Coordinates of all heavy atoms in Angstrom, one line a residue:
E1 N 133.7 165.2 81.3 CA 132.6 164.7 80.4 C 132.5 163.2 80.4 O 131.3 162.7 80.6 CB 132.7 165.3 79.1 CG 131.5 164.9 78.2 CD 131.6 165.5 76.9 OE1 131.6 166.7 76.7 OE2 131.6 164.7 75.9
W2 N 133.5 162.5 80.2 CA 133.5 161.1 80.1 C 133.2 160.5 81.4 O 132.7 159.4 81.6 CB 134.8 160.5 79.6 CG 136.0 160.8 80.4 CD1 136.9 161.8 80.2 CD2 136.6 160.0 81.4 NE1 137.9 161.8 81.2 CE2 137.7 160.6 81.9 CE3 136.2 158.7 82.0 CZ2 138.5 160.1 83.0 CZ3 136.9 158.3 83.0 CH2 138.1 158.9 83.5
R3 N 133.6 161.2 82.5 CA 133.3 160.7 83.9 C 131.8 160.7 84.2 O 131.3 159.9 84.8 CB 134.1 161.5 85.0 CG 135.5 161.2 85.0 CD 136.2 162.0 86.1 NE 137.7 161.7 86.0 CZ 138.6 162.4 86.6 NH1 138.3 163.3 87.4 NH2 139.9 162.1 86.4
D4 N 131.2 161.8 83.7 CA 129.8 161.9 83.9 C 129.0 160.8 83.1 O 128.0 160.2 83.6 CB 129.2 163.3 83.4 CG 129.7 164.4 84.3 OD1 130.0 164.2 85.5 OD2 129.8 165.6 83.7
K5 N 129.5 160.5 82.0 CA 128.9 159.5 81.1 C 129.1 158.1 81.8 O 128.2 157.3 81.8 CB 129.5 159.5 79.7 CG 129.0 160.6 78.8 CD 129.6 160.5 77.4 CE 129.0 161.6 76.5 NZ 129.5 161.6 75.1
A6 N 130.3 157.9 82.4 CA 130.5 156.7 83.0 C 129.6 156.5 84.2 O 129.1 155.4 84.5 CB 132.0 156.6 83.4
K7 N 129.5 157.6 85.0 CA 128.5 157.6 86.2 C 127.1 157.3 85.7 O 126.4 156.5 86.4 CB 128.6 158.9 86.9 CG 129.9 159.2 87.7 CD 129.8 160.5 88.5 CE 131.2 160.7 89.2 NZ 131.2 162.0 89.9
E8 N 126.7 157.9 84.8 CA 125.3 157.6 84.2 C 125.2 156.2 83.8 O 124.2 155.5 84.0 CB 125.0 158.6 83.0 CG 124.8 160.0 83.4 CD 124.6 160.9 82.2 OE1 124.5 160.4 81.1 OE2 124.7 162.2 82.4
A9 N 126.3 155.7 83.1 CA 126.2 154.2 82.7 C 126.1 153.3 83.9 O 125.3 152.3 83.9 CB 127.4 154.0 81.8
V10 N 126.9 153.6 84.9 CA 126.8 152.8 86.1 C 125.5 152.9 86.7 O 124.9 151.9 87.2 CB 128.0 153.2 87.0 CG1 127.8 152.6 88.4 CG2 129.4 152.8 86.5
A11 N 125.0 154.0 86.9 CA 123.6 154.2 87.5 C 122.6 153.4 86.7 O 121.8 152.7 87.3 CB 123.3 155.7 87.6
R12 N 122.7 153.5 85.4 CA 121.8 152.8 84.5 C 121.8 151.3 84.7 O 120.8 150.6 84.7 CB 121.9 153.3 83.0 CG 120.8 153.0 82.1 CD 121.0 153.7 80.8 NE 122.3 153.7 80.3 CZ 123.1 154.8 80.0 NH1 122.5 156.0 80.4 NH2 124.2 154.7 79.5
A13 N 123.0 150.9 84.8 CA 123.3 149.4 84.9 C 122.8 148.9 86.2 O 122.2 147.9 86.2 CB 124.8 149.2 84.8
E14 N 123.0 149.7 87.3 CA 122.5 149.3 88.6 C 120.9 149.3 88.6 O 120.3 148.3 89.1 CB 123.0 150.3 89.7 CG 124.4 150.1 90.0 CD 124.9 151.1 91.0 OE1 124.2 152.0 91.4 OE2 126.1 151.0 91.3
R15 N 120.3 150.2 88.0 CA 118.9 150.3 87.9 C 118.3 149.2 87.1 O 117.4 148.5 87.4 CB 118.4 151.6 87.3 CG 116.9 151.9 87.2 CD 116.6 153.2 86.5 NE 117.0 153.2 85.2 CZ 117.8 154.1 84.7 NH1 118.2 155.1 85.4 NH2 118.1 154.0 83.4
D16 N 119.0 148.9 86.0 CA 118.5 147.8 85.1 C 118.8 146.4 85.7 O 117.9 145.5 85.6 CB 119.2 147.9 83.7 CG 118.7 149.0 83.0 OD1 117.7 149.6 83.2 OD2 119.5 149.3 81.9
G17 N 119.8 146.3 86.6 CA 120.1 145.1 87.3 C 119.0 144.8 88.3 O 118.5 143.7 88.5
G18 N 118.5 145.9 89.0 CA 117.4 145.8 90.0 C 116.1 145.4 89.3 O 115.4 144.6 89.8
R19 N 115.9 145.9 88.1 CA 114.7 145.6 87.4 C 114.8 144.1 86.9 O 113.8 143.4 87.0 CB 114.5 146.5 86.1 CG 114.0 147.8 86.4 CD 113.8 148.6 85.1 NE 113.6 150.0 85.4 CZ 113.7 151.0 84.5 NH1 114.2 150.7 83.3 NH2 113.4 152.2 84.9
A20 N 115.9 143.7 86.5 CA 116.0 142.3 86.0 C 115.8 141.3 87.2 O 115.2 140.3 87.0 CB 117.5 142.1 85.5
A21 N 116.3 141.7 88.4 CA 116.1 140.8 89.6 C 114.6 140.8 89.9 O 114.0 139.7 90.2 CB 116.9 141.4 90.7
G22 N 113.9 141.9 89.8 CA 112.4 141.9 90.0 C 111.7 141.1 89.0 O 110.8 140.3 89.4
V23 N 112.1 141.2 87.8 CA 111.4 140.3 86.7 C 111.7 138.9 86.9 O 110.8 138.0 86.8 CB 111.9 140.8 85.3 CG1 111.5 139.8 84.2 CG2 111.4 142.2 85.0
K24 N 112.9 138.5 87.4 CA 113.2 137.1 87.7 C 112.5 136.6 88.8 O 111.9 135.5 88.8 CB 114.7 137.0 88.0 CG 115.2 135.6 88.1 CD 116.6 135.4 88.4 CE 117.1 134.0 88.6 NZ 116.2 133.1 89.3
A25 N 112.3 137.4 89.8 CA 111.5 137.0 91.0 C 110.0 136.8 90.6 O 109.4 135.8 91.0 CB 111.6 138.0 92.1
E26 N 109.5 137.7 89.8 CA 108.1 137.5 89.4 C 107.9 136.2 88.5 O 106.9 135.5 88.6 CB 107.7 138.7 88.5 CG 106.4 138.7 88.0 CD 105.2 138.9 89.0 OE1 105.6 139.1 90.3 OE2 104.0 138.7 88.6
N27 N 108.9 136.0 87.6 CA 108.9 134.8 86.8 C 108.9 133.6 87.6 O 108.1 132.6 87.4 CB 110.0 134.9 85.9 CG 110.0 133.8 84.8 OD1 108.9 133.3 84.5 ND2 111.1 133.4 84.3
D28 N 109.7 133.6 88.7 CA 109.8 132.4 89.6 C 108.5 132.2 90.3 O 108.1 131.0 90.4 CB 111.0 132.5 90.5 CG 112.4 132.4 89.9 OD1 112.4 132.0 88.8 OD2 113.3 133.0 90.5
R29 N 108.0 133.2 90.7 CA 106.6 133.2 91.4 C 105.6 132.6 90.5 O 104.7 131.7 90.8 CB 106.2 134.6 91.9 CG 105.0 134.5 92.8 CD 104.6 136.0 93.3 NE 104.1 136.8 92.2 CZ 102.9 136.7 91.8 NH1 102.0 135.9 92.3 NH2 102.4 137.5 90.8
L30 N 105.5 133.1 89.2 CA 104.5 132.6 88.3 C 104.7 131.1 87.9 O 103.7 130.4 87.8 CB 104.5 133.5 87.0 CG 104.0 134.9 87.3 CD1 104.2 135.8 86.0 CD2 102.6 134.9 87.7
R31 N 106.0 130.8 87.9 CA 106.3 129.3 87.5 C 105.8 128.5 88.7 O 105.3 127.3 88.5 CB 107.7 129.1 87.3 CG 108.2 129.6 85.9 CD 109.7 129.2 85.7 NE 110.1 129.6 84.4 CZ 110.1 128.8 83.4 NH1 109.6 127.6 83.6 NH2 110.4 129.2 82.1
A32 N 105.9 128.9 89.9 CA 105.5 128.1 91.1 C 104.0 128.0 91.0 O 103.5 126.9 91.3 CB 106.0 128.8 92.3
I33 N 103.3 129.0 90.7 CA 101.9 129.0 90.6 C 101.4 128.0 89.5 O 100.5 127.2 89.8 CB 101.3 130.5 90.3 CG1 101.5 131.3 91.5 CG2 99.8 130.3 90.0 CD1 101.2 132.8 91.3
I34 N 102.1 128.1 88.3 CA 101.7 127.2 87.3 C 102.1 125.7 87.7 O 101.2 124.8 87.4 CB 102.5 127.5 86.0 CG1 102.0 128.9 85.5 CG2 102.3 126.4 84.9 CD1 102.8 129.4 84.3
K35 N 103.1 125.5 88.3 CA 103.4 124.1 88.8 C 102.3 123.6 89.7 O 101.9 122.5 89.7 CB 104.8 124.1 89.6 CG 106.0 124.1 88.7 CD 107.3 124.1 89.5 CE 108.5 124.3 88.7 NZ 109.7 124.3 89.5
R36 N 101.8 124.4 90.6 CA 100.9 124.1 91.6 C 99.5 123.7 90.9 O 98.8 122.8 91.2 CB 100.7 125.2 92.6 CG 99.8 124.8 93.8 CD 99.8 125.8 94.9 NE 99.3 127.1 94.4 CZ 99.9 128.2 94.5 NH1 101.2 128.3 95.1 NH2 99.5 129.4 94.1
E37 N 99.2 124.5 89.8 CA 98.0 124.4 89.1 C 98.0 123.1 88.2 O 97.0 122.5 88.2 CB 97.7 125.6 88.3 CG 97.2 126.8 89.1 CD 95.8 126.6 89.7 OE1 94.9 126.0 88.9 OE2 95.6 126.9 90.9
V38 N 99.0 122.9 87.5 CA 99.0 121.9 86.4 C 99.9 120.8 86.6 O 99.9 119.8 85.9 CB 99.3 122.5 84.9 CG1 98.3 123.5 84.6 CG2 100.7 123.1 84.9
G39 N 100.8 120.8 87.6 CA 101.7 119.8 87.9 C 103.1 120.0 87.4 O 103.3 120.8 86.4
E40 N 104.0 119.3 87.9 CA 105.5 119.5 87.6 C 105.8 119.1 86.1 O 106.5 119.8 85.4 CB 106.3 118.8 88.5 CG 107.8 118.9 88.4 CD 108.2 120.2 89.1 OE1 107.6 120.6 90.0 OE2 109.2 120.7 88.6
A41 N 105.2 118.0 85.6 CA 105.5 117.5 84.3 C 105.1 118.5 83.2 O 105.8 118.7 82.3 CB 104.8 116.2 84.1
A42 N 104.0 119.1 83.4 CA 103.5 120.0 82.3 C 104.3 121.4 82.3 O 104.5 122.0 81.2 CB 102.1 120.5 82.6
V43 N 104.9 121.7 83.4 CA 105.7 122.9 83.4 C 107.1 122.8 82.7 O 107.5 123.7 82.2 CB 105.9 123.4 85.0 CG1 106.8 124.6 85.0 CG2 104.6 123.7 85.5
T44 N 107.7 121.6 82.8 CA 108.9 121.4 82.1 C 108.8 121.5 80.6 O 109.8 121.9 79.9 CB 109.6 120.1 82.5 OG1 108.6 118.9 82.1 CG2 109.8 119.9 83.9
D45 N 107.6 121.4 80.1 CA 107.4 121.5 78.6 C 106.2 122.5 78.4 O 105.0 122.1 78.4 CB 107.2 120.2 78.0 CG 107.0 120.2 76.5 OD1 107.2 121.4 75.9 OD2 106.7 119.2 75.9
F46 N 106.5 123.7 78.2 CA 105.5 124.7 78.1 C 104.7 124.6 76.8 O 103.4 125.1 76.8 CB 106.0 126.2 78.2 CG 106.2 126.7 79.6 CD1 107.4 126.5 80.3 CD2 105.1 127.1 80.3 CE1 107.5 126.9 81.6 CE2 105.2 127.6 81.6 CZ 106.5 127.5 82.3
S47 N 105.1 123.8 75.8 CA 104.3 123.6 74.6 C 103.2 122.7 75.0 O 102.0 122.9 74.5 CB 105.1 123.0 73.6 OG 105.6 121.7 73.9
R48 N 103.3 121.8 76.0 CA 102.2 120.9 76.4 C 101.2 121.7 77.2 O 100.0 121.4 77.0 CB 102.7 119.8 77.2 CG 103.4 118.7 76.5 CD 103.9 117.5 77.3 NE 103.1 117.1 78.3 CZ 103.4 116.6 79.4 NH1 104.7 116.3 79.7 NH2 102.6 116.3 80.4
L49 N 101.7 122.6 78.0 CA 100.8 123.5 78.6 C 99.9 124.4 77.7 O 98.7 124.4 77.9 CB 101.5 124.4 79.7 CG 100.7 125.4 80.4 CD1 99.8 124.8 81.4 CD2 101.7 126.4 81.1
E50 N 100.5 124.9 76.7 CA 99.7 125.7 75.7 C 98.8 124.8 75.0 O 97.6 125.2 74.8 CB 100.7 126.3 74.7 CG 101.6 127.3 75.4 CD 101.6 128.7 74.7 OE1 100.9 128.9 73.8 OE2 102.3 129.6 75.3
E51 N 99.2 123.6 74.7 CA 98.2 122.6 74.0 C 97.0 122.4 74.8 O 95.9 122.4 74.4 CB 98.9 121.3 73.6 CG 99.8 121.4 72.5 CD 100.6 120.1 72.3 OE1 100.1 119.0 72.8 OE2 101.6 120.0 71.7
S52 N 97.3 122.1 76.2 CA 96.1 121.7 77.0 C 95.3 122.9 77.2 O 94.0 122.7 77.3 CB 96.6 121.2 78.4 OG 97.3 122.1 79.1
L53 N 95.8 124.2 77.3 CA 95.0 125.3 77.4 C 94.1 125.5 76.1 O 92.9 125.8 76.3 CB 95.8 126.6 77.6 CG 96.3 126.8 79.0 CD1 97.2 127.9 79.1 CD2 95.1 126.9 80.0
E54 N 94.7 125.2 75.0 CA 93.9 125.4 73.7 C 92.7 124.4 73.7 O 91.6 124.7 73.3 CB 94.8 125.2 72.5 CG 95.8 126.4 72.3 CD 96.8 126.2 71.2 OE1 96.6 125.2 70.5 OE2 97.7 127.0 71.1
K55 N 93.0 123.2 74.1 CA 92.0 122.1 74.0 C 90.9 122.4 75.1 O 89.7 122.1 74.8 CB 92.6 120.8 74.5 CG 93.5 120.2 73.4 CD 94.2 118.9 73.8 CE 95.1 118.3 72.8 NZ 95.8 117.1 73.2
A56 N 91.3 123.0 76.2 CA 90.3 123.3 77.2 C 89.5 124.6 76.9 O 88.6 125.0 77.6 CB 90.9 123.4 78.6
G57 N 89.9 125.3 75.9 CA 89.2 126.6 75.6 C 89.8 127.8 76.3 O 89.1 128.7 76.5
G58 N 91.0 127.7 76.6 CA 91.8 128.8 77.4 C 91.5 128.7 78.9 O 90.9 127.7 79.4
W59 N 91.8 129.8 79.5 CA 91.7 129.8 81.0 C 90.2 129.8 81.4 O 89.9 129.2 82.4 CB 92.4 131.1 81.6 CG 93.9 130.9 81.5 CD1 94.7 131.7 80.7 CD2 94.7 130.1 82.3 NE1 96.0 131.3 80.9 CE2 96.1 130.4 81.8 CE3 94.5 129.1 83.3 CZ2 97.2 129.7 82.4 CZ3 95.6 128.5 83.8 CH2 96.9 128.8 83.3
R60 N 89.4 130.4 80.6 CA 88.0 130.4 81.0 C 87.4 129.0 80.9 O 86.6 128.6 81.7 CB 87.2 131.4 80.1 CG 87.5 132.8 80.4 CD 86.4 133.7 79.7 NE 86.8 135.1 80.1 CZ 86.5 136.1 79.3 NH1 85.9 135.9 78.1 NH2 86.7 137.3 79.7
G61 N 87.8 128.3 79.9 CA 87.3 127.0 79.7 C 87.8 126.1 80.8 O 86.9 125.3 81.3
R62 N 89.0 126.2 81.2 CA 89.5 125.5 82.3 C 88.8 125.7 83.6 O 88.4 124.9 84.4 CB 91.0 125.8 82.5 CG 91.6 124.9 83.5 CD 93.1 125.1 83.4 NE 93.8 124.4 84.4 CZ 93.9 124.8 85.7 NH1 93.5 126.0 86.1 NH2 94.4 124.1 86.7
A63 N 88.5 127.1 83.9 CA 87.8 127.5 85.1 C 86.3 126.9 85.1 O 85.8 126.5 86.1 CB 87.8 129.0 85.1
Q64 N 85.7 126.9 83.9 CA 84.4 126.3 83.8 C 84.4 124.8 84.1 O 83.5 124.3 84.7 CB 83.8 126.7 82.4 CG 82.4 126.2 82.3 CD 81.9 126.5 80.9 OE1 82.6 126.8 79.9 NE2 80.6 126.5 80.7
D65 N 85.4 124.1 83.5 CA 85.5 122.7 83.8 C 85.7 122.4 85.3 O 85.1 121.5 85.8 CB 86.7 122.1 83.1 CG 86.5 122.0 81.6 OD1 85.3 122.1 81.1 OD2 87.5 121.8 80.8
I66 N 86.5 123.2 86.0 CA 86.7 123.1 87.4 C 85.4 123.3 88.1 O 85.0 122.5 89.1 CB 87.8 124.1 87.9 CG1 89.1 123.6 87.4 CG2 87.8 124.1 89.4 CD1 90.3 124.6 87.6
S67 N 84.7 124.3 87.7 CA 83.4 124.5 88.4 C 82.4 123.4 88.3 O 81.7 123.0 89.2 CB 82.8 125.9 87.9 OG 81.5 126.1 88.4
L68 N 82.4 122.9 87.0 CA 81.4 121.8 86.7 C 81.9 120.5 87.5 O 81.0 119.8 88.1 CB 81.4 121.4 85.2 CG 80.7 122.5 84.4 CD1 81.0 122.1 82.8 CD2 79.2 122.5 84.6
L69 N 83.2 120.3 87.6 CA 83.6 119.1 88.4 C 83.3 119.3 89.9 O 83.0 118.2 90.6 CB 85.1 118.9 88.2 CG 85.5 118.4 86.7 CD1 87.0 118.4 86.5 CD2 85.0 117.0 86.5
K70 N 83.5 120.5 90.4 CA 83.2 120.8 91.8 C 81.7 120.4 92.1 O 81.3 119.8 93.1 CB 83.5 122.1 92.2 CG 85.0 122.4 92.4 CD 85.2 123.7 92.8 CE 86.7 124.0 93.1 NZ 87.0 125.4 93.5
D71 N 80.8 120.9 91.2 CA 79.4 120.6 91.3 C 79.1 119.1 91.3 O 78.3 118.7 92.0 CB 78.6 121.3 90.1 CG 78.6 122.8 90.4 OD1 78.9 123.3 91.5 OD2 78.3 123.5 89.4
K72 N 79.8 118.3 90.4 CA 79.6 116.9 90.3 C 80.1 116.3 91.5 O 79.4 115.3 92.0 CB 80.4 116.4 89.1 CG 80.1 114.9 88.9 CD 80.4 114.5 87.5 CE 80.0 113.0 87.4 NZ 79.4 112.8 86.0
V73 N 81.2 116.7 92.1 CA 81.6 116.1 93.4 C 80.6 116.4 94.5 O 80.3 115.4 95.2 CB 83.0 116.8 93.9 CG1 83.3 116.5 95.2 CG2 84.1 116.3 92.9
K74 N 80.0 117.6 94.6 CA 79.0 117.8 95.6 C 77.8 116.8 95.4 O 77.2 116.3 96.4 CB 78.5 119.2 95.5 CG 79.4 120.2 96.0 CD 78.9 121.6 95.8 CE 79.9 122.7 96.2 NZ 79.4 124.1 96.0
E75 N 77.4 116.6 94.1 CA 76.2 115.9 93.9 C 76.6 114.4 94.2 O 75.7 113.8 94.8 CB 75.9 115.9 92.3 CG 74.7 115.1 91.9 CD 74.6 115.1 90.4 OE1 75.1 116.1 89.8 OE2 74.0 114.2 89.8
L76 N 77.7 113.9 93.9 CA 78.1 112.5 94.3 C 78.2 112.3 95.8 O 77.9 111.3 96.2 CB 79.4 112.2 93.5 CG 79.3 112.0 92.1 CD1 80.7 111.8 91.4 CD2 78.4 110.9 91.7
K77 N 78.6 113.4 96.5 CA 78.8 113.3 97.9 C 77.4 113.2 98.5 O 77.1 112.4 99.5 CB 79.4 114.5 98.5 CG 80.9 114.4 98.4 CD 81.6 115.6 99.1 CE 83.1 115.5 98.9 NZ 83.8 116.6 99.6
L78 N 76.3 113.9 98.0 CA 75.0 113.8 98.5 C 74.4 112.4 98.2 O 73.7 111.8 99.0 CB 74.1 114.9 97.7 CG 74.4 116.3 98.2 CD1 73.6 117.2 97.3 CD2 74.0 116.4 99.7
H79 N 74.7 111.8 97.0 CA 74.3 110.5 96.7 C 74.8 109.4 97.6 O 74.2 108.6 98.0 CB 74.6 110.1 95.2 CG 73.7 110.7 94.2 ND1 72.5 111.3 94.4 CD2 74.0 111.0 92.9 CE1 71.9 111.7 93.3 NE2 72.9 111.7 92.3
L80 N 76.1 109.6 97.9 CA 76.9 108.7 98.8 C 76.2 108.7 100.2 O 76.0 107.8 100.8 CB 78.3 109.0 98.8 CG 79.1 108.1 99.8 CD1 79.1 106.7 99.4 CD2 80.6 108.7 99.8
A81 N 75.9 110.0 100.7 CA 75.4 110.2 102.0 C 74.0 109.6 102.0 O 73.6 108.9 103.0 CB 75.3 111.6 102.4
A82 N 73.2 109.7 101.0 CA 71.9 109.1 100.9 C 71.9 107.6 100.9 O 71.2 107.0 101.6 CB 71.1 109.6 99.7
A83 N 72.9 107.0 100.2 CA 73.0 105.6 100.1 C 73.4 105.0 101.4 O 73.0 104.0 101.8 CB 74.1 105.2 98.9
V84 N 74.3 105.7 102.1 CA 74.7 105.2 103.4 C 73.7 105.3 104.4 O 73.5 104.4 105.3 CB 76.0 106.0 103.9 CG1 76.4 105.7 105.4 CG2 77.3 105.7 102.9
A85 N 72.9 106.3 104.4 CA 71.8 106.5 105.3 C 70.6 105.6 105.1 O 69.8 105.4 105.9 CB 71.4 108.0 105.4
A86 N 70.4 105.2 103.8 CA 69.2 104.4 103.3 C 69.1 103.0 103.9 O 68.0 102.6 104.1 CB 69.2 104.5 101.8
P87 N 70.1 102.3 104.0 CA 70.0 100.8 104.4 C 69.1 100.7 105.7 O 68.2 100.2 105.9 CB 71.3 100.3 104.5 CG 72.3 101.3 104.4 CD 71.6 102.6 104.1

């Protein structure tokens, strides 16, 4: 009986170890994505990341800001092209 319990404990430990490795890999992947999005400095202090998300209105607010900035870049490129072509 104790051998069966030991075998079950070993199997459970191996299964949980595999799950832990999967969670760690997912965590590392998500940290890399966050680093790419907000920069290295913000990732070292997650409280700063949370503050910036709150100020921006969350992920949706940030996405909207990005969209507006992309539109502004397009508009400025058109103005630049017109200014260069005008002289």
Side-chain angles (χ1 to χ4, degrees):
E1 181 179 303
W2 64 270
R3 288 182 183 170
D4 292 336
K5 286 184 180 180
K7 286 180 184 179
E8 289 174 12
V10 167
R12 197 169 40 247
E14 288 175 355
R15 184 182 63 237
D16 291 345
R19 285 183 186 160
V23 168
K24 184 182 181 320
E26 179 72 6
N27 189 27
D28 291 342
R29 187 180 71 80
L30 293 173
R31 283 184 178 267
I33 291 169
I34 292 171
K35 283 180 187 179
R36 189 173 58 236
E37 285 290 318
V38 297
E40 188 78 30
V43 174
T44 58
D45 183 6
F46 275 95
S47 63
R48 285 182 39 207
L49 176 63
E50 298 233 354
E51 283 176 21
S52 65
L53 280 174
E54 287 174 12
K55 288 179 187 174
W59 289 109
R60 284 192 183 153
R62 184 171 176 275
Q64 185 178 16
D65 288 344
I66 290 170
S67 177
L68 291 172
L69 289 171
K70 284 181 179 180
D71 290 342
K72 185 158 187 148
V73 167
K74 287 179 187 176
E75 179 184 338
L76 291 173
K77 283 182 178 181
L78 290 173
H79 285 336
L80 179 63
V84 169

